[in-house]
């Protein structure tokens, strides 16, 4: 399957600071990437859809000024959590859309565990 | 009603047994369906796409029932390594965003 990397895998930061998470497609070009967050024992929650060269589309209830998404190239999308607070602590996962003959599939990065103290 | 629903389990199953999960979806216009596997504190990994005609991959069989709006996953001859949370995902009407179930936890016991 397609390989998606994510960096960092784990980050601890102080309240009020910003954290940047990178999502890269390693062996393919991804015009569309997705950012999710997941709380323990809960489902994946789609935060936004990131399209290369255009503004991200945010889901209802997700603050676009707090979660800045940039998709400047076909292999890289970044999520910046600005002015992080303890309630932003979560598992953040990106995925990339892969076009196949039979239909689209999504492949996930390994996730970033963010802890805000 | 949630867009995608799964029984959270856990399903406690002896090794070697057959186990099946269902996942119901509310949007009849959905076109793409998937089963993912997620291990504790890891990212989801695609297990299989679900096609209209059903599909099989080794010990795993996926089926789609459009009339009743559910997909199923059958695991035969279960292994200890099958212990995980199984997530179903359904695409939103007319676009490629996926809506996720909360997952079914499976525990295979020796």
């Amino acid at each position: 399957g397609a390989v998606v990397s994510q960096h960092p895998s784990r980050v601890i930061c102080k309240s009020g600071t910003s954290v940047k998470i990178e999502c890269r497609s390693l062996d393919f070009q991804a015009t569309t990437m997705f950012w999710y967050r997941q709380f323990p024992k809960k489902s994946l929650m789609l935060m936004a859809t990131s399209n290369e060269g255009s503004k991200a589309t945010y889901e209802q209830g997700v603050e676009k000024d707090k979660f800045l998404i940039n998709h400047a190239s076909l292999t890289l999308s970044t999520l910046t959590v600005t002015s992080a607070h303890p309630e932003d602590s979560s598992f953040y996962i990106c995925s990339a859309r892969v076009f196949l003959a039979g239909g689209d599939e999504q492949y996930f990065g390994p996730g970033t565990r963010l802890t805000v103290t | 009603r949630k867009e995608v629903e799964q029984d959270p389990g856990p399903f406690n199953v002896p090794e070697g047994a057959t186990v099946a999960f269902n996942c119901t979806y509310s949007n009849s216009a959905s076109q793409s369906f998937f089963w993912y596997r997620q291990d504790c504190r890891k990212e989801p990994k695609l297990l299989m796409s679900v096609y209209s005609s059903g599909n099989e991959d080794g010990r795993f069989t996926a089926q789609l029932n459009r009339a009743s709006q559910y997909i199923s996953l059958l695991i035969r001859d279960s292994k200890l390594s099958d212990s995980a949370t199984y997530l179903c995902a359904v695409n939103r009407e007319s676009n490629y965003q996926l809506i996720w179930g909360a997952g079914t936890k499976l525990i295979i016991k020796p």
Side-chain angles (χ1 to χ4, degrees), chain A residues 20-92:
Chain A
K20 180 186 280 189
I21 303 170
E22 293 185 349
C23 179
R24 293 181 185 273
S25 56
L26 296 186
D27 52 358
F28 65 101
Q29 294 182 330
T31 55
T32 303
M33 290 184 174
F34 303 93
W35 287 97
Y36 296 88
R37 66 187 296 182
Q38 187 177 35
F39 293 104
K41 299 184 180 181
K42 297 293 184 183
S43 181
L44 292 167
M45 187 193 84
L46 179 65
M47 298 176 66
T49 302
S50 171
N51 295 298
E52 187 268 336
S54 65
K55 291 183 179 180
T57 304
Y58 289 82
E59 294 300 299
Q60 192 173 8
V62 178
E63 299 176 59
K64 62 180 180 181
D65 294 330
K66 180 169 181 61
F67 298 100
L68 301 178
I69 291 172
N70 186 288
H71 194 154
S73 79
L74 287 170
T75 59
L76 173 64
S77 176
T78 60
L79 168 69
T80 301
V81 183
T82 62
S83 187
H85 290 284
E87 58 265 30
D88 297 325
S89 299
S90 186
F91 189 45
Y92 291 86

Side-chain angles (χ1 to χ4, degrees), chain A residues 38 43 49 59 105-106 109, chain B residues 36 38 43 49 92 97 101:
Chain A
Q38 187 177 35
S43 181
T49 302
E59 294 300 299
E105 292 179 352
Q106 286 189 31
Chain B
Y36 281 77
Q38 187 174 26
E43 77 279 17
S49 303
R92 277 181 175 165
Q97 294 172 334

Side-chain angles (χ1 to χ4, degrees), chain A residues 2-6 36 44 93-96 106-111, chain B residues 36 43-46 98 100:
Chain A
V3 179
V4 178
S5 72
Q6 202 171 326
Y36 296 88
L44 292 167
I93 320 175
C94 69
S95 71
Q106 286 189 31
Y107 287 86
F108 284 83
Chain B
Y36 281 77
E43 77 279 17
K45 291 187 187 295
L46 180 64
L98 295 179
W100 296 82

